[in-house]
Amino acid sequence: LALAGPRDASNGVSDERILFGQSCALTGHAAELGEDMQAGLRAAFATRNELGGIHGRRLDLETLDDRFNSERSGAATRALIEQHRVFALIGQVGTHTSRSAARVCESSGVPFLAPLSGAAFLRRPDLARIVNLRADFDQEMERLVQYLVDSQGYTNIACFYENDGHGKAGLAGVERALKQRGLQLSGVGFVRRNTTAKA
């Protein structure tokens, strides 16, 4: 929050508060993820506010429902920036929704904080306004394979993934981790996102 120096309320920062925006699923099949992220942020903000906020400014959160849909995520992010005039976006849930939100934030010059995604595109060095807290997918898949192969001794491993950016990134991470150990997947299958249809 070092960026929250003297600014005016049109940029989400006033003498009294710092306004953050969140686009996440509050309805639909991923609503629990969005609700939990929103609840966590509100609890953290409340704790900080009880201690005097940041530079005497309270932290406020405005959340819009994107229903875990990338087009809605882009539109909600734009509305938070242009209409609600937030200082930064925080707590985006999902890889495909984070991609849409990150593009809007980057083009608007607005910080994009702590998206719930391990996607590599969020870690590109040229995207200076993105701050990640989560490990990337390759790190997560490396630990998974490390446990299955190195700790448990399994060598016959299959992968069933969701056929979207999130699932494909996980698949690629598993394949890389196995290859480093001279192994390859014994089987692969996927389900189309937001359906029960299998390939």
Side-chain angles (χ1 to χ4, degrees):
L1 290 177
L3 295 171
R7 298 178 75 179
D8 61 75
S10 68
N11 292 314
V13 179
S14 68
D15 291 339
E16 294 79 33
R17 73 169 185 168
I18 304 172
L19 179 61
F20 291 83
Q22 179 190 28
S23 167
C24 68
L26 297 178
T27 58
H29 73 280
E32 188 173 344
L33 290 172
E35 290 168 353
D36 287 351
M37 180 65 86
Q38 181 191 53
L41 286 169
R42 285 185 171 165
F45 283 13
T47 298
R48 185 71 241 178
N49 289 339
E50 287 175 6
L51 298 173
I54 301 293
H55 303 300
R57 301 170 174 122
R58 76 178 184 277
L59 307 182
D60 286 339
L61 181 67
E62 181 73 33
T63 304
L64 298 181
D65 183 11
D66 64 24
R67 300 185 191 176
F68 208 55
N69 177 281
S70 57
E71 290 182 11
R72 287 180 177 274
S73 173
T77 300
R78 193 165 300 284
L80 286 163
I81 293 170
E82 295 177 359
Q83 297 169 27
H84 297 272
R85 311 301 295 178
V86 300
F87 163 68
L89 268 286
I90 190 169
Q92 177 72 45
V93 174
T95 295
H96 61 290
T97 51
S98 289
R99 185 183 297 276
S100 299
R103 287 180 183 141
V104 175
C105 287
E106 196 67 20
S107 66
S108 302
V110 171
F112 187 52
L113 312 176
L116 182 60
S117 172
F121 72 84
L122 291 169
R123 289 150 176 84
R124 284 175 22 209
D126 59 309
L127 300 178
R129 298 190 192 290
I130 299 178
V131 178
N132 292 290
L133 297 181
R134 177 178 169 170
D136 68 39
F137 291 142
D138 280 353
Q139 292 169 322
E140 291 178 349
M141 294 305 101
E142 166 61 30
R143 291 303 297 269
L144 177 64
V145 170
Q146 183 182 72
Y147 173 76
L148 292 172
V149 176
D150 302 344
S151 297
Q152 299 300 308
Y154 295 115
T155 57
N156 188 16
I157 297 170
C159 182
F160 187 76
Y161 67 98
E162 190 173 55
N163 191 22
D164 62 6
H166 178 217
K168 289 177 181 177
L171 172 66
V174 168
E175 289 175 330
R176 276 189 286 273
L178 288 173
K179 186 176 180 181
Q180 290 174 355
R181 292 162 173 82
L183 299 172
Q184 60 184 12
L185 287 168
S186 58
V188 176
F190 67 83
V191 62
R192 290 201 300 271
R193 187 167 60 84
N194 297 334
T195 75
T196 57
K198 295 179 237 152

